[in-house]
Amino acid sequence: NGWVGTRTTDGRPSCWGGGVRFTSAGHAQTGVYDCNIVGNTAFCGSGGGVAAACFGGIVSNCLIACNLATNVWESGWNNGDFGGGGVMFNEAGGSGTSRSTRTSGCRLIDCVVSNNLATGNSAYGGGVGSGRAGHWIEGCTLVGNRVVGSTPGNASPGGAIYCDRFARIYNCVLTNNTCGSNASAAGIVCQACSIVSNCTVIASGGISVGGDVQNAVTQPSEIVGCYLDGCGTKQNGCSGGVRASIRNCYVTGYDGDGGAFATPADSCLVENCTIVRNYRGVRVVGSSCVPFVNCVFDNRYIKNSQDISVPATHSNVGVTLTNCWFYAKDRINDFNLNTNCVFSAKPGFVDMENGDYRLTRRSLLRDAGLDSDWMTNAVDFAGNPRIFGKAVDIGCYENQEPDPGLMLLFR
C-alpha cells in the first residue's frame, strides 16, 4: 500500500525485477497489491517493474509505469527469458497440456501499465512479457509501452503484451503501444491455445494468436469480441494461427499492405467480423485454406484499397467467402470462391458513409448469415444475443428489433 521507489542493486545489476520480484511457492494469494511501481530498471534480465516466478501469484490494482528492461549484461550473467518492460511472468502456469490445467500461472488484474520499455535483440513485451505458459491478464489498461529490438528489422513482438501458450487476456484496453519495425509484430502476441476476449486495441498494432500447432486441433486459439483500430498504422490487424477462431470483431484503420487480416494460417476461421475502412481487408499469401463466414467488408475509402487481396503468384490460395457482404461484386474482382454472398450498395446499415455499421430493422443482412454451434447463448460485439430472429445476422452486430409484422387498419 505504498510507493516502491527506484531500486538499484549495488555492484552487479539486478537480473530480473527492477522494482519487485517474488515467488509464490504454490500459494495462490502471494503477490503485489495496491502499489505504485515507477521508474525501476532490470539490467541484463526481465521485468523492469515486476518479475514473478510463481504458480498462482497475483499483481493487482497497481500502477506500473516508466520502468525499463534491458539486456545490458556482464560476463558470466545469463539473462534467460528477456522482456517485460513493466511486468515479466517467468514461471510456467500449471503442469498439464490443456487450457484447463494451464491457467494457474500468474494473474495481472486491474492494473495500469504505462510507458514501460523493453529493449534489446531478444526483447518482447513492452508492457507485459511472459516466457512461460498459462498466465492471465484481465481488466488492465496498457498505454504508451514500447518494445524495441537493437537490430534493425528485429520483430520485437508485443508492443503491449507478449504471452506464451495457454494465455488468457480479457477486457483490456490498449492505446498507443508500439513495437519493432517488423509488420507482423502486433500489440498483443500470444502463442498457441490462447484466448483474447473483449479487448480494445487502438493505435497499438493488432492481435496475433497461434504461433505453433501444439494442441491446436482440440484447443485452438480464439480472438473474440475485440475492437481494433489501427489509426492509420502500417502494421497488421488480426492474425490467427493454425485452426484459430476469430469472431465478433470490428477491425478498422489498418493502412498497410498487410491488411486488417494478414496471412491467416491454414484453417483459421473468421466469423461475423466487420472489416471496414482499411487499405486491405484481407491479404492472404501461401496456399492456406481460410474461410470467412458472415463477415462485412467495406474498404472503399482509401485509394486503391481492396477487400480481398491475393497476389497473382498465389492464385491457388484456398480462401472461401460464405454469407458475406460486399458493396459490389467488383470489390473482389475475379475472386469467385463465394457462396450466398450479398452484393449491394444499400444493405441497410444505420449510417454506412459515416462509419455506423449497425443494422437497421429492414437490412438485407438480417437473418442472412450461416448459424454455427458457438452462437448458442453467445453475444454479439455489442453484448446483445448473437442470434435474434430466424438466423444470425451478417457482421459483428445483431439487430435486436422485432419484425414489423402485419398491420391491420379498421374503419
Short mmCIF file of all heavy atoms in Angstrom, two decimals, residues 5-74:
data_model
loop_
_atom_site.label_atom_id
_atom_site.label_comp_id
_atom_site.label_asym_id
_atom_site.label_seq_id
_atom_site.Cartn_x
_atom_site.Cartn_y
_atom_site.Cartn_z
N GLY A 5 10.00 2.58 -4.62
CA GLY A 5 10.87 3.58 -5.23
C GLY A 5 11.83 2.98 -6.24
O GLY A 5 11.84 1.79 -6.51
N THR A 6 12.64 3.83 -6.82
CA THR A 6 13.63 3.41 -7.80
C THR A 6 14.68 2.54 -7.13
O THR A 6 15.53 3.04 -6.39
CB THR A 6 14.28 4.65 -8.45
OG1 THR A 6 13.26 5.46 -8.99
CG2 THR A 6 15.24 4.24 -9.54
N ARG A 7 14.60 1.24 -7.36
CA ARG A 7 15.50 0.31 -6.68
C ARG A 7 16.68 -0.02 -7.57
O ARG A 7 16.51 -0.39 -8.72
CB ARG A 7 14.77 -0.98 -6.33
CG ARG A 7 15.62 -1.91 -5.48
CD ARG A 7 14.87 -3.18 -5.18
NE ARG A 7 14.79 -4.06 -6.35
CZ ARG A 7 15.74 -4.89 -6.72
NH1 ARG A 7 16.87 -4.94 -6.04
NH2 ARG A 7 15.59 -5.66 -7.77
N THR A 8 17.85 0.10 -7.06
CA THR A 8 19.06 -0.32 -7.76
C THR A 8 19.83 -1.26 -6.86
O THR A 8 19.65 -1.28 -5.64
CB THR A 8 19.95 0.87 -8.14
OG1 THR A 8 20.31 1.56 -6.93
CG2 THR A 8 19.21 1.83 -9.06
N THR A 9 20.69 -2.06 -7.44
CA THR A 9 21.48 -3.01 -6.68
C THR A 9 22.94 -2.57 -6.71
O THR A 9 23.48 -2.31 -7.77
CB THR A 9 21.35 -4.42 -7.29
OG1 THR A 9 19.97 -4.78 -7.29
CG2 THR A 9 22.12 -5.44 -6.48
N ASP A 10 23.53 -2.46 -5.56
CA ASP A 10 24.94 -2.09 -5.51
C ASP A 10 25.79 -3.16 -6.17
O ASP A 10 25.52 -4.35 -6.07
CB ASP A 10 25.39 -1.90 -4.06
CG ASP A 10 24.72 -0.71 -3.41
OD1 ASP A 10 24.31 0.20 -4.15
OD2 ASP A 10 24.59 -0.71 -2.17
N GLY A 11 26.83 -2.77 -6.84
CA GLY A 11 27.70 -3.73 -7.51
C GLY A 11 27.05 -4.22 -8.78
O GLY A 11 26.74 -3.45 -9.68
N ARG A 12 26.79 -5.52 -8.86
CA ARG A 12 26.20 -6.09 -10.06
C ARG A 12 24.74 -5.65 -10.18
O ARG A 12 24.03 -5.54 -9.19
CB ARG A 12 26.30 -7.61 -10.03
CG ARG A 12 27.72 -8.14 -10.10
CD ARG A 12 27.70 -9.66 -10.13
NE ARG A 12 29.06 -10.19 -10.16
CZ ARG A 12 29.74 -10.41 -11.27
NH1 ARG A 12 29.21 -10.11 -12.44
NH2 ARG A 12 30.96 -10.89 -11.22
N PRO A 13 24.29 -5.45 -11.40
CA PRO A 13 22.91 -5.01 -11.59
C PRO A 13 21.91 -6.14 -11.36
O PRO A 13 22.25 -7.31 -11.40
CB PRO A 13 22.88 -4.58 -13.06
CG PRO A 13 23.94 -5.40 -13.70
CD PRO A 13 25.01 -5.56 -12.67
N SER A 14 20.67 -5.76 -11.12
CA SER A 14 19.60 -6.74 -10.96
C SER A 14 19.35 -7.47 -12.27
O SER A 14 19.27 -6.86 -13.32
CB SER A 14 18.31 -6.04 -10.53
OG SER A 14 17.23 -6.92 -10.57
N CYS A 15 19.22 -8.79 -12.21
CA CYS A 15 18.97 -9.56 -13.43
C CYS A 15 17.49 -9.62 -13.78
O CYS A 15 17.14 -9.77 -14.93
CB CYS A 15 19.52 -10.98 -13.29
SG CYS A 15 21.27 -11.06 -13.67
N TRP A 16 16.60 -9.54 -12.80
CA TRP A 16 15.18 -9.52 -13.12
C TRP A 16 14.44 -8.88 -11.95
O TRP A 16 14.81 -9.00 -10.80
CB TRP A 16 14.65 -10.92 -13.43
CG TRP A 16 14.82 -11.95 -12.34
CD1 TRP A 16 15.96 -12.60 -11.99
CD2 TRP A 16 13.79 -12.44 -11.48
NE1 TRP A 16 15.72 -13.47 -10.97
CE2 TRP A 16 14.39 -13.41 -10.63
CE3 TRP A 16 12.43 -12.19 -11.34
CZ2 TRP A 16 13.67 -14.09 -9.65
CZ3 TRP A 16 11.72 -12.87 -10.37
CH2 TRP A 16 12.33 -13.81 -9.53
N GLY A 17 13.37 -8.18 -12.30
CA GLY A 17 12.60 -7.50 -11.28
C GLY A 17 13.27 -6.25 -10.78
O GLY A 17 13.83 -6.20 -9.69
N GLY A 18 13.22 -5.18 -11.59
CA GLY A 18 13.88 -3.94 -11.18
C GLY A 18 13.28 -3.32 -9.94
O GLY A 18 13.99 -2.77 -9.10
N GLY A 19 11.95 -3.40 -9.79
CA GLY A 19 11.31 -2.84 -8.60
C GLY A 19 10.92 -3.90 -7.60
O GLY A 19 11.21 -3.80 -6.41
N VAL A 20 10.24 -4.95 -8.06
CA VAL A 20 9.74 -6.01 -7.18
C VAL A 20 9.97 -7.35 -7.86
O VAL A 20 9.73 -7.48 -9.06
CB VAL A 20 8.23 -5.86 -6.91
CG1 VAL A 20 7.73 -7.00 -6.02
CG2 VAL A 20 7.92 -4.52 -6.28
N ARG A 21 10.41 -8.33 -7.10
CA ARG A 21 10.42 -9.69 -7.61
C ARG A 21 9.97 -10.63 -6.51
O ARG A 21 10.27 -10.43 -5.34
CB ARG A 21 11.79 -10.08 -8.14
CG ARG A 21 12.93 -10.02 -7.16
CD ARG A 21 14.23 -10.38 -7.86
NE ARG A 21 15.39 -10.23 -7.00
CZ ARG A 21 16.64 -10.39 -7.41
NH1 ARG A 21 16.87 -10.72 -8.66
NH2 ARG A 21 17.64 -10.24 -6.58
N PHE A 22 9.18 -11.63 -6.90
CA PHE A 22 8.64 -12.54 -5.90
C PHE A 22 8.36 -13.90 -6.48
O PHE A 22 8.20 -14.06 -7.69
CB PHE A 22 7.37 -11.96 -5.26
CG PHE A 22 6.17 -11.92 -6.16
CD1 PHE A 22 5.23 -12.96 -6.15
CD2 PHE A 22 5.95 -10.85 -7.01
CE1 PHE A 22 4.13 -12.92 -6.98
CE2 PHE A 22 4.84 -10.80 -7.82
CZ PHE A 22 3.92 -11.84 -7.82
N THR A 23 8.32 -14.89 -5.60
CA THR A 23 7.87 -16.23 -5.96
C THR A 23 6.77 -16.61 -4.99
O THR A 23 6.75 -16.17 -3.83
CB THR A 23 9.00 -17.26 -5.85
OG1 THR A 23 9.47 -17.29 -4.51
CG2 THR A 23 10.13 -16.91 -6.80
N SER A 24 5.82 -17.42 -5.48
CA SER A 24 4.67 -17.74 -4.64
C SER A 24 4.77 -19.11 -4.00
O SER A 24 4.01 -19.42 -3.09
CB SER A 24 3.39 -17.69 -5.47
OG SER A 24 3.38 -18.75 -6.41
N ALA A 25 5.65 -19.98 -4.53
CA ALA A 25 5.81 -21.33 -3.99
C ALA A 25 4.48 -22.05 -3.85
O ALA A 25 4.25 -22.80 -2.91
CB ALA A 25 6.53 -21.26 -2.64
N GLY A 26 3.58 -21.80 -4.81
CA GLY A 26 2.30 -22.50 -4.83
C GLY A 26 1.20 -21.86 -4.01
O GLY A 26 0.08 -22.37 -3.99
N HIS A 27 1.48 -20.75 -3.34
CA HIS A 27 0.45 -20.08 -2.55
C HIS A 27 -0.26 -19.05 -3.42
O HIS A 27 0.32 -18.04 -3.82
CB HIS A 27 1.07 -19.41 -1.32
CG HIS A 27 1.77 -20.38 -0.42
ND1 HIS A 27 1.10 -21.31 0.33
CD2 HIS A 27 3.09 -20.58 -0.18
CE1 HIS A 27 1.97 -22.04 1.01
NE2 HIS A 27 3.20 -21.62 0.71
N ALA A 28 -1.55 -19.27 -3.67
CA ALA A 28 -2.26 -18.51 -4.70
C ALA A 28 -2.36 -17.03 -4.40
O ALA A 28 -2.51 -16.23 -5.31
CB ALA A 28 -3.65 -19.10 -4.91
N GLN A 29 -2.32 -16.62 -3.11
CA GLN A 29 -2.53 -15.22 -2.79
C GLN A 29 -1.23 -14.43 -2.68
O GLN A 29 -1.24 -13.26 -2.36
CB GLN A 29 -3.33 -15.09 -1.49
CG GLN A 29 -4.70 -15.74 -1.55
CD GLN A 29 -5.52 -15.23 -2.72
OE1 GLN A 29 -5.62 -14.02 -2.93
NE2 GLN A 29 -6.10 -16.12 -3.50
N THR A 30 -0.10 -15.08 -2.88
CA THR A 30 1.17 -14.35 -2.88
C THR A 30 1.16 -13.33 -4.01
O THR A 30 0.80 -13.65 -5.13
CB THR A 30 2.35 -15.31 -3.06
OG1 THR A 30 2.32 -16.26 -2.02
CG2 THR A 30 3.66 -14.56 -3.05
N GLY A 31 1.56 -12.10 -3.74
CA GLY A 31 1.56 -11.14 -4.83
C GLY A 31 1.82 -9.73 -4.39
O GLY A 31 2.27 -9.44 -3.29
N VAL A 32 1.50 -8.82 -5.29
CA VAL A 32 1.72 -7.39 -5.10
C VAL A 32 0.38 -6.70 -5.27
O VAL A 32 -0.28 -6.85 -6.31
CB VAL A 32 2.73 -6.85 -6.13
CG1 VAL A 32 2.96 -5.36 -5.91
CG2 VAL A 32 4.05 -7.61 -6.05
N TYR A 33 -0.06 -5.94 -4.26
CA TYR A 33 -1.38 -5.32 -4.28
C TYR A 33 -1.27 -3.82 -4.00
O TYR A 33 -0.52 -3.39 -3.12
CB TYR A 33 -2.28 -5.95 -3.21
CG TYR A 33 -2.52 -7.43 -3.37
CD1 TYR A 33 -1.62 -8.36 -2.86
CD2 TYR A 33 -3.66 -7.90 -4.02
CE1 TYR A 33 -1.84 -9.73 -3.00
CE2 TYR A 33 -3.89 -9.26 -4.17
CZ TYR A 33 -2.98 -10.17 -3.65
OH TYR A 33 -3.20 -11.52 -3.79
N ASP A 34 -2.04 -3.02 -4.74
CA ASP A 34 -2.25 -1.60 -4.44
C ASP A 34 -0.95 -0.81 -4.33
O ASP A 34 -0.77 0.00 -3.43
CB ASP A 34 -3.04 -1.46 -3.13
CG ASP A 34 -4.33 -2.26 -3.16
OD1 ASP A 34 -5.03 -2.20 -4.18
OD2 ASP A 34 -4.63 -2.95 -2.17
N CYS A 35 -0.02 -1.06 -5.24
CA CYS A 35 1.27 -0.36 -5.20
C CYS A 35 1.50 0.48 -6.45
O CYS A 35 0.94 0.20 -7.52
CB CYS A 35 2.41 -1.37 -5.08
SG CYS A 35 2.53 -2.16 -3.47
N ASN A 36 2.33 1.50 -6.32
CA ASN A 36 2.87 2.24 -7.44
C ASN A 36 4.30 1.78 -7.66
O ASN A 36 5.13 1.91 -6.74
CB ASN A 36 2.85 3.74 -7.17
CG ASN A 36 1.44 4.26 -6.94
OD1 ASN A 36 0.53 3.93 -7.67
ND2 ASN A 36 1.27 5.05 -5.88
N ILE A 37 4.60 1.27 -8.83
CA ILE A 37 5.93 0.73 -9.13
C ILE A 37 6.46 1.51 -10.32
O ILE A 37 6.08 1.26 -11.46
CB ILE A 37 5.83 -0.78 -9.42
CG1 ILE A 37 5.19 -1.50 -8.23
CG2 ILE A 37 7.20 -1.37 -9.73
CD1 ILE A 37 4.80 -2.93 -8.51
N VAL A 38 7.31 2.48 -10.06
CA VAL A 38 7.62 3.51 -11.05
C VAL A 38 9.12 3.74 -11.15
O VAL A 38 9.83 3.85 -10.14
CB VAL A 38 6.92 4.84 -10.67
CG1 VAL A 38 7.22 5.91 -11.72
CG2 VAL A 38 5.42 4.65 -10.53
N GLY A 39 9.63 3.80 -12.38
CA GLY A 39 10.98 4.27 -12.63
C GLY A 39 12.09 3.30 -12.26
O GLY A 39 13.18 3.72 -11.90
N ASN A 40 11.82 2.00 -12.34
CA ASN A 40 12.83 0.99 -12.00
C ASN A 40 13.46 0.41 -13.26
O ASN A 40 12.92 0.52 -14.36
CB ASN A 40 12.18 -0.11 -11.17
CG ASN A 40 11.49 0.43 -9.94
OD1 ASN A 40 12.12 0.75 -8.95
ND2 ASN A 40 10.16 0.56 -10.02
N THR A 41 14.60 -0.27 -13.08
CA THR A 41 15.32 -0.86 -14.21
C THR A 41 15.79 -2.26 -13.86
O THR A 41 16.34 -2.49 -12.77
CB THR A 41 16.53 -0.01 -14.61
OG1 THR A 41 16.10 1.29 -15.00
CG2 THR A 41 17.28 -0.66 -15.78
N ALA A 42 15.55 -3.20 -14.78
CA ALA A 42 16.14 -4.54 -14.67
C ALA A 42 17.21 -4.64 -15.76
O ALA A 42 16.88 -4.67 -16.95
CB ALA A 42 15.08 -5.61 -14.86
N PHE A 43 18.48 -4.65 -15.35
CA PHE A 43 19.57 -4.82 -16.29
C PHE A 43 19.77 -6.31 -16.55
O PHE A 43 19.55 -7.13 -15.68
CB PHE A 43 20.86 -4.21 -15.74
CG PHE A 43 20.80 -2.73 -15.58
CD1 PHE A 43 20.53 -2.18 -14.34
CD2 PHE A 43 21.00 -1.90 -16.65
CE1 PHE A 43 20.48 -0.81 -14.17
CE2 PHE A 43 20.95 -0.53 -16.51
CZ PHE A 43 20.69 0.02 -15.26
N CYS A 44 20.22 -6.63 -17.72
CA CYS A 44 20.59 -7.98 -18.13
C CYS A 44 19.56 -9.01 -17.69
O CYS A 44 19.88 -10.11 -17.26
CB CYS A 44 21.96 -8.38 -17.63
SG CYS A 44 22.15 -8.51 -15.84
N GLY A 45 18.30 -8.64 -17.74
CA GLY A 45 17.26 -9.56 -17.33
C GLY A 45 15.89 -9.13 -17.80
O GLY A 45 15.72 -8.70 -18.93
N SER A 46 14.86 -9.26 -16.96
CA SER A 46 13.50 -9.03 -17.40
C SER A 46 12.65 -8.51 -16.25
O SER A 46 12.97 -8.68 -15.09
CB SER A 46 12.91 -10.33 -17.96
OG SER A 46 13.00 -11.36 -17.00
N GLY A 47 11.53 -7.89 -16.63
CA GLY A 47 10.63 -7.34 -15.64
C GLY A 47 11.17 -6.05 -15.06
O GLY A 47 11.64 -6.00 -13.92
N GLY A 48 11.09 -4.97 -15.84
CA GLY A 48 11.63 -3.70 -15.35
C GLY A 48 10.97 -3.25 -14.07
O GLY A 48 11.62 -2.74 -13.16
N GLY A 49 9.64 -3.43 -13.97
CA GLY A 49 8.93 -3.06 -12.75
C GLY A 49 8.74 -4.23 -11.82
O GLY A 49 9.09 -4.16 -10.63
N VAL A 50 8.15 -5.33 -12.35
CA VAL A 50 7.83 -6.50 -11.53
C VAL A 50 8.26 -7.75 -12.27
O VAL A 50 8.01 -7.89 -13.47
CB VAL A 50 6.31 -6.61 -11.25
CG1 VAL A 50 6.01 -7.83 -10.39
CG2 VAL A 50 5.79 -5.35 -10.58
N ALA A 51 8.87 -8.68 -11.55
CA ALA A 51 9.15 -10.00 -12.11
C ALA A 51 8.66 -11.04 -11.12
O ALA A 51 8.91 -10.92 -9.92
CB ALA A 51 10.63 -10.19 -12.39
N ALA A 52 7.92 -12.04 -11.63
CA ALA A 52 7.37 -13.07 -10.76
C ALA A 52 7.68 -14.44 -11.34
O ALA A 52 7.50 -14.68 -12.53
CB ALA A 52 5.86 -12.90 -10.63
N ALA A 53 8.14 -15.33 -10.49
CA ALA A 53 8.34 -16.72 -10.87
C ALA A 53 7.44 -17.53 -9.96
O ALA A 53 7.79 -17.80 -8.81
CB ALA A 53 9.80 -17.12 -10.70
N CYS A 54 6.24 -17.85 -10.42
CA CYS A 54 5.26 -18.39 -9.50
C CYS A 54 4.14 -19.13 -10.20
O CYS A 54 3.93 -19.01 -11.40
CB CYS A 54 4.66 -17.27 -8.68
SG CYS A 54 3.88 -15.99 -9.67
N PHE A 55 3.42 -19.90 -9.40
CA PHE A 55 2.19 -20.54 -9.83
C PHE A 55 1.05 -19.90 -9.03
O PHE A 55 0.93 -20.12 -7.83
CB PHE A 55 2.24 -22.04 -9.54
CG PHE A 55 3.36 -22.75 -10.25
CD1 PHE A 55 4.58 -22.93 -9.64
CD2 PHE A 55 3.17 -23.23 -11.54
CE1 PHE A 55 5.62 -23.58 -10.30
CE2 PHE A 55 4.21 -23.88 -12.19
CZ PHE A 55 5.43 -24.06 -11.58
N GLY A 56 0.25 -19.09 -9.68
CA GLY A 56 -0.89 -18.51 -9.00
C GLY A 56 -0.66 -17.19 -8.32
O GLY A 56 -1.54 -16.67 -7.64
N GLY A 57 0.51 -16.57 -8.47
CA GLY A 57 0.74 -15.27 -7.88
C GLY A 57 -0.09 -14.20 -8.56
O GLY A 57 -0.52 -14.33 -9.69
N ILE A 58 -0.33 -13.09 -7.85
CA ILE A 58 -1.21 -12.03 -8.34
C ILE A 58 -0.51 -10.67 -8.25
O ILE A 58 0.14 -10.36 -7.25
CB ILE A 58 -2.51 -11.98 -7.52
CG1 ILE A 58 -3.30 -13.28 -7.68
CG2 ILE A 58 -3.39 -10.80 -7.95
CD1 ILE A 58 -4.53 -13.38 -6.79
N VAL A 59 -0.67 -9.87 -9.30
CA VAL A 59 -0.33 -8.45 -9.27
C VAL A 59 -1.63 -7.71 -9.53
O VAL A 59 -2.23 -7.85 -10.60
CB VAL A 59 0.74 -8.08 -10.32
CG1 VAL A 59 1.04 -6.60 -10.26
CG2 VAL A 59 2.00 -8.90 -10.11
N SER A 60 -2.13 -6.96 -8.55
CA SER A 60 -3.48 -6.41 -8.63
C SER A 60 -3.52 -4.94 -8.23
O SER A 60 -2.87 -4.52 -7.26
CB SER A 60 -4.40 -7.21 -7.70
OG SER A 60 -5.70 -6.65 -7.65
N ASN A 61 -4.29 -4.17 -9.01
CA ASN A 61 -4.60 -2.77 -8.69
C ASN A 61 -3.34 -1.94 -8.48
O ASN A 61 -3.24 -1.13 -7.57
CB ASN A 61 -5.50 -2.68 -7.45
CG ASN A 61 -6.16 -1.32 -7.33
OD1 ASN A 61 -6.52 -0.71 -8.33
ND2 ASN A 61 -6.32 -0.83 -6.12
N CYS A 62 -2.37 -2.14 -9.37
CA CYS A 62 -1.11 -1.40 -9.29
C CYS A 62 -0.94 -0.46 -10.47
O CYS A 62 -1.46 -0.71 -11.56
CB CYS A 62 0.07 -2.37 -9.27
SG CYS A 62 0.18 -3.39 -7.79
N LEU A 63 -0.20 0.62 -10.24
CA LEU A 63 0.31 1.47 -11.32
C LEU A 63 1.74 1.04 -11.58
O LEU A 63 2.60 1.10 -10.67
CB LEU A 63 0.27 2.94 -10.93
CG LEU A 63 1.03 3.89 -11.87
CD1 LEU A 63 0.38 3.91 -13.26
CD2 LEU A 63 1.09 5.29 -11.30
N ILE A 64 2.01 0.59 -12.81
CA ILE A 64 3.34 0.10 -13.18
C ILE A 64 3.80 0.96 -14.35
O ILE A 64 3.32 0.80 -15.48
CB ILE A 64 3.28 -1.38 -13.56
CG1 ILE A 64 2.71 -2.20 -12.38
CG2 ILE A 64 4.65 -1.90 -13.96
CD1 ILE A 64 2.30 -3.61 -12.75
N ALA A 65 4.68 1.92 -14.10
CA ALA A 65 4.94 2.95 -15.11
C ALA A 65 6.42 3.30 -15.18
O ALA A 65 7.16 3.28 -14.18
CB ALA A 65 4.13 4.21 -14.78
N CYS A 66 6.85 3.63 -16.41
CA CYS A 66 8.18 4.19 -16.67
C CYS A 66 9.31 3.29 -16.18
O CYS A 66 10.34 3.76 -15.70
CB CYS A 66 8.31 5.58 -16.05
SG CYS A 66 7.04 6.75 -16.61
N ASN A 67 9.12 1.98 -16.31
CA ASN A 67 10.15 1.02 -15.97
C ASN A 67 10.87 0.55 -17.23
O ASN A 67 10.35 0.67 -18.34
CB ASN A 67 9.53 -0.16 -15.23
CG ASN A 67 8.82 0.26 -13.97
OD1 ASN A 67 9.46 0.60 -12.97
ND2 ASN A 67 7.49 0.26 -13.99
N LEU A 68 12.06 -0.03 -17.05
CA LEU A 68 12.88 -0.44 -18.19
C LEU A 68 13.45 -1.84 -17.96
O LEU A 68 13.98 -2.14 -16.89
CB LEU A 68 14.05 0.54 -18.37
CG LEU A 68 15.18 0.14 -19.33
CD1 LEU A 68 14.67 0.06 -20.76
CD2 LEU A 68 16.34 1.12 -19.22
N ALA A 69 13.31 -2.69 -18.97
CA ALA A 69 14.03 -3.97 -19.00
C ALA A 69 14.99 -3.92 -20.19
O ALA A 69 14.58 -3.69 -21.32
CB ALA A 69 13.06 -5.13 -19.15
N THR A 70 16.26 -4.14 -19.92
CA THR A 70 17.24 -4.05 -20.99
C THR A 70 18.31 -5.13 -20.82
O THR A 70 18.66 -5.47 -19.69
CB THR A 70 17.91 -2.67 -21.02
OG1 THR A 70 18.87 -2.61 -22.05
CG2 THR A 70 18.58 -2.35 -19.68
N ASN A 71 18.77 -5.70 -21.92
CA ASN A 71 19.76 -6.77 -21.80
C ASN A 71 21.19 -6.25 -21.95
O ASN A 71 21.95 -6.70 -22.78
CB ASN A 71 19.47 -7.91 -22.78
CG ASN A 71 19.58 -7.47 -24.24
OD1 ASN A 71 19.61 -6.27 -24.53
ND2 ASN A 71 19.64 -8.43 -25.14
N VAL A 72 21.53 -5.27 -21.13
CA VAL A 72 22.92 -4.86 -20.98
C VAL A 72 23.50 -5.74 -19.89
O VAL A 72 23.28 -5.52 -18.71
CB VAL A 72 23.02 -3.38 -20.58
CG1 VAL A 72 24.47 -2.97 -20.41
CG2 VAL A 72 22.34 -2.50 -21.61
N TRP A 73 24.20 -6.80 -20.26
CA TRP A 73 24.61 -7.79 -19.26
C TRP A 73 26.10 -8.01 -19.27
O TRP A 73 26.77 -7.87 -20.27
CB TRP A 73 23.84 -9.08 -19.43
CG TRP A 73 23.84 -9.71 -20.79
CD1 TRP A 73 23.37 -9.18 -21.96
CD2 TRP A 73 24.31 -11.00 -21.12
NE1 TRP A 73 23.52 -10.06 -22.99
CE2 TRP A 73 24.09 -11.19 -22.50
CE3 TRP A 73 24.89 -12.03 -20.38
CZ2 TRP A 73 24.44 -12.36 -23.16
CZ3 TRP A 73 25.23 -13.20 -21.03
CH2 TRP A 73 25.00 -13.35 -22.41
N GLU A 74 26.59 -8.38 -18.10
CA GLU A 74 28.01 -8.54 -17.90
C GLU A 74 28.43 -9.99 -18.13
O GLU A 74 27.63 -10.91 -18.14
CB GLU A 74 28.35 -8.15 -16.45
CG GLU A 74 28.06 -6.69 -16.15
CD GLU A 74 28.39 -6.37 -14.71
OE1 GLU A 74 28.80 -7.29 -13.97
OE2 GLU A 74 28.25 -5.20 -14.33
#
